[in-house]
Amino acid sequence: PILRSVRYLRLVIKAKQHVSAIQKSARHQVGMNKKRYQEDGFDLDLCYITDRIIAMSVPAVRSEGLYRNPVNEVARFFNLKHPDHYKIYNLCQERKY
């Protein structure tokens, strides 16, 4: 029973790594040659214009988060890097938030 549990756990970990690799590849394909923020465990389609202005693609929810910036990662980024000191403006006419 223990060996079976260990095998199952290894299988789950490998599957999660595989899904993460696919998500990363999809985000890079969608982002094309855009500059990405790849520091401190983040891999987001955003860049600093100045130290106070950041440009980023629209945060995504549900399945769209597989190939765009997941909204929970965007929130984690701003809460970690700019705690209690940020505003996000939606400049995308197609999306209503």
Side-chain angles (χ1 to χ4, degrees), residues 41-68:
F42 293 101
D43 184 12
L44 297 171
D45 179 12
L46 67 78
C47 67
Y48 282 85
I49 308 279
T50 71
D51 61 338
R52 296 180 51 140
I53 299 174
I54 298 171
M56 70 175 178
S57 64
V58 176
V61 293
R62 294 184 285 285
S63 62
E64 201 174 47
L66 295 173
Y67 55 91
R68 297 201 182 277

Side-chain angles (χ1 to χ4, degrees), residues 37-44 73 76:
Y37 184 87
Q38 296 178 306
E39 295 178 22
D40 303 321
F42 293 101
D43 184 12
L44 297 171
E73 281 296 290
R76 188 171 73 88

